[in-house]
Amino acid sequence: NAGVTQTPKFQVLKTGQSMTLQCAQDMNHNSMYWYRQDPGMGLRLIYYSASEGTTDKGEVPNGYNVSRLNKREFSLRLESAAPSQTSVYFCASSETTFGNIQYFGAGTRLSVL
Amino acid sequence: TQLLEQSPQFLSIQEGENLTVYCNSSSVFSSLQWYRQEPGEGPVLLVTVVTGGEVKKLKRLTFQFGDARKDSSLHITAAQPGDTGLYLCAGRNAGGTSYGKLTFGQGTILTVHP
């Protein structure tokens, strides 16, 4: 049982480049999330998708876009990367919106030079 | 925006010692969760406490939710090297525009030396 799978695990970008972080879950969960984790700041919610076909902004959405491709997949796109977006990005899923248990992927470590 | 202050940020102890990690807020949360995260992995849920004053035990780990549901603590008895990791608390927002969302503390990096 893979759970939540994120790709890639590592990425280095130059300022202004674009990229998409991929996330897939195999638990048939309705809700999916994107967080970023920075030293000394815990995890902050970027965007979430309560169910297939819906997306909503979280705490720090600026500079990001998301797509809920289907029930399994939720991608995060950086259109023009900035050094401030250097972070570790986590995708998570839960059975219900902000349900009691969120399952996290292993993360994508992104550096923007 | 609700805030959760977690302390201490770093904790380095010897095997067998006891320790306590605290999460404090001026806001009320409907529930409080504790996660453990190992290097290169995502957070994994340890426990959820829901009722003010609730105490839950998980082997050598004891979790407590404050009576007013504004604070929580994690106590580890006789720490072992396998307890090493990043511990995160997360409060479920009880109202306002962020209702239901999780607010995470900054995390405590625990190192237990053999």
Side-chain angles (χ1 to χ4, degrees), chain A residues 35 37 40-43 45 48 57-59 90 98-102 104-106, chain B residues 1 9 33 35 37 40-43 45 48 86 88 92 100-102 104-106:
Chain A
Y35 291 91
Q37 184 175 39
M41 300 192 72
L43 277 81
L45 183 65
Y48 68 100
K57 295 179 179 179
E59 183 184 353
F90 288 99
F98 299 110
N100 187 42
I101 303 178
Q102 290 188 24
F104 287 83
Chain B
T1 303
Q9 190 174 354
Q33 298 183 326
Y35 291 82
Q37 184 179 4
E41 299 294 329
L45 181 66
T48 301
L86 173 67
L88 294 160
R92 186 173 305 283
K101 296 184 179 71
L102 293 178
F104 283 85
Q106 303 97 319

